[in-house]
Amino acid sequence: MKRLISGIQPSGVVTLGNYIGAIKQFVKLQNELSEADILVFIADLHAITVPQVKEKLRKNIKELAALYIACGLDPSKVHLFIQSEVHEHNQLAYIMECTAHIGELERMTQYKDKKVKQVLGVKSSLLTYPALMAADILLYDADLVPIGDDQKQHLELTRDLAIRFNNTYGDTFIVPDGYFTKNGSRIMSLTNPTKKMSKSDENPKSYILLLDDINTAKNKIKSAVTDSDGIIKYDKKNKPGISNLLSIYASLTAYSVKDLEIKYKDSNYATFKKDLADVIEETLLPIQRKFNEIINSKELDEILDDGKNYAKKLASRKISKVYNKIGLGRKI
Ligand code: TYM
């Protein structure tokens, strides 16, 4: 049986990029791989590698849990839990820090990007973050990790750490593979389409949040940066804006990018954007409806408790095995 794992940081409301690059893939895999064991979590420990406000963090954690369900994760098929409630993540993260080299961590592009943005000093956990991410994955012997493009480097490091540990202590970890979507593994900013869409962007017009007011979201599409030649064609290098909108459109509908190029061959950007804005509305409305139904329900807590118990069972078994392999404590 294949096992899948993935997580999202509760560092703000989920963006359309997170939805297309990650959550939509979880839902697809849950429906296609009926035999798979799927774990999805809220990566709250990752969120505190940069400063967070307590009340906001709590709110974001709960909202992310509800959004996972609202986007179609089925708790009868997926184990949903909060990372910090399964302490073995921290235990294995330390072992991974003892496996990784500083040079490898310093080479991570996300570390380099985030480091320069820290005004109150760079927390050491921002550097060791990939060791925690490796622990999240290796703790569960996951075979497959559905992620967006920006996490590729962290997954490569996870694979290297698993191989290094296995070579030192004998076969312990499964070396996981990434799973990436064809069109949407890097959704770009709507205001600067050479940059990734990110919830930490200072300009709210650059991203769509799943909980954005529908008209606000539609207007963000309508004001998205394109170019002046007016031709609806995918050309990432020369026409990054329209290419990004084509990727979003194709990711949210049954059309391929090629289909869309044909459909809008004799059209213009205004018509194309209006149609895409309608697609955004059709995507967000049911998610927001379901979100409002579940956000304050007892059911959500029950789902998270079940998920925690399941994850804990697997994680505690694995951490004992790892400690024994290394020779920590007494043999159990
Ligand atoms: P995070 O919270 O930054 O993003 C969550 C997921 O969304 C994907 N993503 C995108 N996909 C397409 N276009 C975008 N613009 C875009 N922005 C984000 C990310 O690639 C990711 O899949 N370190 C991780 C969370 C994590 C994790 C893990 C993931 C912690 N432990 C273990 C998988 C397995 C992160 O910060 O993702």
Side-chain angles (χ1 to χ4, degrees), residues 5-11 15-23 26 41 43 46 83 110 114 129 132-134 136-137 145-151 154 184-188 196-199:
I5 190 151
S6 202
I8 297 180
Q9 289 192 55
S11 47
T15 66
L16 191 67
N18 298 134
Y19 175 68
I20 293 173
I23 303 182
F26 308 160
F41 63 95
H46 278 90
Q83 181 190 32
Q110 245 186 31
K114 286 192 176 176
Y129 173 118
L132 176 59
M133 179 156 162
D136 298 336
I137 297 166
V145 186
I147 38 175
D149 208 41
D150 62 334
Q151 297 299 320
H154 293 159
S185 71
R186 185 176 285 258
I187 298 299
M188 309 307 275
K196 185 187 78 164
M197 181 184 285
S198 163
K199 54 195 161 222

Side-chain angles (χ1 to χ4, degrees), residues 228-276:
S228 55
D229 80 5
I231 301 167
I232 298 158
K233 192 170 173 6
Y234 190 92
D235 176 350
K236 212 169 166 192
K237 190 158 165 274
N238 299 309
K239 294 163 69 66
I242 200 72
S243 301
N244 186 39
L245 297 183
L246 279 163
S247 293
I248 294 175
Y249 200 145
S251 303
L252 298 176
T253 60
Y255 292 113
S256 67
V257 167
K258 270 269 151 293
D259 294 337
L260 291 169
E261 285 177 346
I262 295 166
K263 181 171 158 68
Y264 290 98
K265 193 163 63 67
D266 300 315
S267 187
N268 55 48
Y269 287 169
T271 309
F272 174 81
K273 283 178 166 180
K274 190 193 159 297
D275 289 358
L276 177 56

